[in-house]
Amino acid sequence: MIRASSPARTPATNGCTRAVRSGGSVALAVLCRSAEVRRRHAAALLPACRELAALQRHDLKCLAHALAVLDDEPLVVLHRPTGTGFEVRIGGIGDNFQLHTLLAHVLIGGGHVPGERPSAESVRLATDPEPAQGPTRAVATGAFELLAPDGERIWNEGLPDDIPVVEGRRLLVLDEPTYRRSWNADRFFPHLPGTAELARVLTTDEARIWFARTSLNGTA
């Protein structure tokens, strides 16, 4: 059975999408279109936006999400079932649903780990520089369980910025999914295409060292 995993596609998220598409938030639109603007202002503005977003100010929640987007970010990804490791460089990814799809595309689609590769349409929606013309009915299906180094779940509803930094690198562990889940494949920010590129495959010794920095065994 496939369970729908829908919280990242709530009315709040749809509001972010509508705001960007309609030009209703100039600041949000600029942040979605410029990595340089995000880099320049994130450190100063993100903490305040997050505090105000906690007061349920929807527009500021969208701004906080945009400011938290990572650009040209190195990510160490460990695949627990095979004990293998990878260095992936990510950018422009609006939430972990999109990250999940792109990691599956790079690692499963690239033949590096076993599993069901994502559909071509879900990958296109995650990466296409041209935004979709309105909501689609495309569905993405999860291939992994996303875990922090301490074994806690990294939620699809969260952000790549939630992934902890260990020894100067964000460190993510992929495990077998506890159940099959699916979600709408539209990306969080329609004008912000995501990227995930495999920089290199870690050697066996490197993967072992990185696994030793987690609370998880190298293989499930």
Side-chain angles (χ1 to χ4, degrees):
M1 179 178 70
I2 300 178
R3 303 184 194 179
S5 184
S6 59
R9 301 295 181 260
T10 60
T13 301
N14 293 337
C16 291
T17 301
R18 286 195 300 269
V20 177
R21 285 197 173 113
S22 66
S25 170
V26 174
L28 182 59
V30 170
L31 287 170
C32 287
R33 288 176 169 86
S34 174
E36 177 57 33
V37 172
R38 293 194 295 273
R39 278 192 291 267
R40 189 182 306 158
H41 297 291
L45 297 179
L46 184 55
C49 278
R50 281 179 166 161
E51 288 181 13
L52 293 171
L55 301 177
Q56 304 301 312
R57 287 294 306 278
H58 162 63
D59 54 343
L60 291 177
K61 179 179 178 181
C62 294
L63 285 173
H65 276 59
L67 286 164
V69 168
L70 303 176
D71 294 292
D72 197 28
E73 181 79 5
L75 174 65
V76 173
V77 180
L78 303 177
H79 187 248
R80 190 182 180 205
T82 60
T84 52
F86 310 88
E87 185 176 305
V88 179
R89 192 164 290 272
I90 63 172
I93 296 175
D95 61 21
N96 290 335
F97 287 102
Q98 189 179 8
L99 175 65
H100 195 142
T101 295
L102 292 182
L103 288 177
H105 172 59
V106 168
L107 299 180
I108 298 175
H112 299 286
V113 300
E116 181 180 347
R117 69 180 63 198
S119 69
E121 180 65 3
S122 66
V123 174
R124 186 191 69 78
L125 287 168
T127 60
D128 195 337
E130 291 298 322
Q133 299 302 307
T136 75
R137 296 192 178 190
V139 173
T141 301
F144 310 115
E145 201 76 42
L146 310 184
L147 302 175
D150 63 0
E152 290 296 312
R153 181 177 292 177
I154 298 288
W155 296 97
N156 283 325
E157 294 84 358
L159 311 174
D161 188 55
D162 297 334
I163 300 170
V165 175
V166 177
E167 299 291 331
R169 285 286 187 272
R170 293 188 187 273
L171 179 57
L172 177 68
V173 180
L174 306 179
D175 207 346
E176 295 287 354
T178 53
Y179 58 89
R180 295 196 73 197
R181 54 178 74 86
S182 63
W183 55 86
N184 178 270
D186 293 347
R187 61 187 183 233
F188 192 93
F189 293 117
H191 289 277
L192 186 55
T195 62
E197 298 178 354
L198 179 63
R200 66 189 186 93
V201 178
L202 301 185
T203 67
T204 301
D205 286 343
E206 286 175 318
R208 187 180 300 116
I209 290 169
W210 279 106
F211 269 111
R213 294 168 177 157
T214 76
S215 62
L216 302 164
N217 296 324
T219 55

